[in-house]
Amino acid sequence: MDILLNQKRELRSGWKFVVYVVLFLILWVASGVALSMVYARSNLPDNQLTFLALNECALLIAAVGAMLLAIRFVDRRPLAAFGVGFLPYWHRQLGAGLALAAGMLGVLVAGCYALGYVSIRWTGHQVPVSTLLGTFGLLLLAAVTEELVFRGFPLQILVDGMGQWPAVIVMSAIFGAMHLNNPNASLLGSANTVVAGILLSLAYVRTRSLWLPYGIHVGWNVGLGFVLGFPLSGLDLPSLWTTGIAGSDIILGGGYGPEGGLLATFLFASSAVIVKRRAGPSATN
C-alpha cells in the first residue's frame, strides 16, 4: 500500500491536510512579519482594535493563500467543492444562520434575566463612530477568517479522509484550543468553544457551504460583542450597548462572557442538534 497516494493515484487526504497546514503556517508567519513592518512605519493607533485587526489580516492572508495553493497544486477541485463562493442557496443559508444566531441571543438574554441580574445601558456615544465601524468590520472579517481556517478546505479534506464525525471533532478541538489564551479563559469556556465548533462544522457539512456557518458565527459575534456588549470570548470590545450580569459564573460565564458558562453549553449543543436535523439543501446538489 502506498502511504502517499490513494487508489486513484492522488495524494491521500491526510497528506493534503499536512500540506495545507504547512503552507498556512509559512504564510501566517510571513504575513505577520510583513504587517508588523508596515505597522511600525504607520500612524495606526496602538490599541487592542489595531492589534486584533492586524492579526485577523495575517490569518486571512494565510488562510486564503494556503487554500488557493493547496487547491492549485495538490487537490485541484474547484473552490465550490469547499463551500467557497456565491453558491446555490447562499442567501437562504446566510439568512438562516443569522436567524439562528438571533434566536440563540434571545434565549441567552432571557436566561440571564431568569438566572441572574442584568443591566443593559447605551454606551455607543462613549466611543468615536470610526471605532464602532472598525469594531463591526473586524467582527465581519474575523468570522470569515475563522470559517476559512477551521471549516472549508481543511474540514472537507479531513471528512474525505477520516469521515464526518472524526473530522468535525478534530477541527472543533483545534478551534477550542486556539481560544485557551484568551483573557479570562477557562476549561469550560474552551469546552464551549469546542461545542460551538461542532455546531459550525455541522452547518458546513450539512450544506457543503460556508454561508450557513458564517451566518451563525458572525450573527453571534456581532450580536453578543458589538450590539449587546457582552465580553466576547474574554475580549471587551467597543459596543452599542453594554450588558452587565451578576450571578453564577459557572452558569453565566463570568469575566469570559456568556461563552464561559453552562447556559452557552446548552445553547450551542441545542443549536447543533437543530442544524443537524434541519439544515437546508447542500450547495453541491
Side-chain angles (χ1 to χ4, degrees):
M1 182 178 68
D2 194 324
I3 64 171
L4 292 177
L5 304 178
N6 59 24
Q7 293 179 346
K8 297 179 180 179
R9 308 308 295 172
E10 297 173 343
L11 196 64
R12 293 183 180 277
S13 295
W15 291 112
K16 291 180 182 179
F17 183 77
V18 170
V19 169
Y20 171 82
V21 170
V22 171
L23 289 171
F24 175 85
L25 292 175
I26 292 172
L27 291 172
W28 187 19
V29 172
S31 58
V33 171
L35 288 172
S36 296
M37 294 173 64
V38 171
Y39 172 69
R41 298 185 178 186
S42 72
N43 294 320
L44 291 172
D46 182 15
N47 56 32
Q48 174 185 251
L49 192 62
T50 300
F51 172 77
L52 291 173
L54 290 172
N55 185 58
E56 291 300 330
C57 287
L59 285 170
L60 181 63
I61 292 169
V64 173
M67 177 182 64
L68 293 177
L69 288 171
I71 288 175
R72 174 66 178 85
F73 297 106
V74 177
D75 191 87
R76 297 184 176 85
R77 279 180 284 180
L79 283 172
F82 306 100
V84 179
F86 292 100
L87 308 173
Y89 310 108
W90 73 268
H91 54 288
R92 186 187 307 177
Q93 292 163 357
L94 175 61
L98 293 172
L100 178 57
M104 293 166 63
L105 289 166
V107 174
L108 172 70
V109 172
C112 289
Y113 272 105
L115 300 170
Y117 172 80
V118 180
S119 171
I120 303 178
R121 55 192 177 89
W122 172 260
T123 53
H125 63 282
Q126 295 181 1
V127 294
V129 173
S130 60
T131 299
L132 290 175
L133 292 175
T135 302
F136 180 70
L138 172 64
L139 293 175
L140 297 182
L141 176 66
V144 170
T145 300
E146 293 190 358
E147 290 312 307
L148 289 172
V149 172
F150 297 105
R151 265 67 63 180
F153 182 86
L155 177 58
Q156 187 60 52
I157 290 298
L158 288 184
V159 169
D160 294 343
M162 61 195 308
Q164 175 181 313
W165 278 108
V168 166
I169 296 300
V170 167
M171 292 307 299
S172 299
I174 297 172
F175 184 57
M178 292 295 289
H179 290 74
L180 277 172
N181 289 327
N182 283 27
N184 299 308
S186 65
L187 290 179
L188 178 56
S190 296
N192 281 344
T193 307
V194 173
V195 179
I198 293 173
L199 161 63
L200 297 171
S201 295
L202 288 175
Y204 168 78
V205 170
R206 288 286 290 155
T207 61
R208 288 292 297 276
S209 168
L210 289 176
W211 287 103
L212 179 60
Y214 177 73
I216 299 170
H217 198 157
V218 76
W220 174 264
N221 282 2
V222 169
L224 187 74
F226 179 71
V227 177
L228 294 173
F230 281 102
L232 179 63
S233 298
L235 299 174
D236 290 313
L237 300 172
S239 58
L240 299 179
W241 282 269
T242 296
T243 302
I245 53 176
S248 170
D249 287 356
I250 194 69
I251 296 175
L252 301 180
Y256 190 72
E259 293 165 317
L262 291 175
L263 180 56
T265 311
F266 166 76
L267 284 171
F268 294 149
S270 57
S271 297
V273 172
I274 292 172
V275 167
K276 182 70 170 63
R277 292 181 177 178
R278 303 193 62 177
S282 168
T284 59
N285 288 346

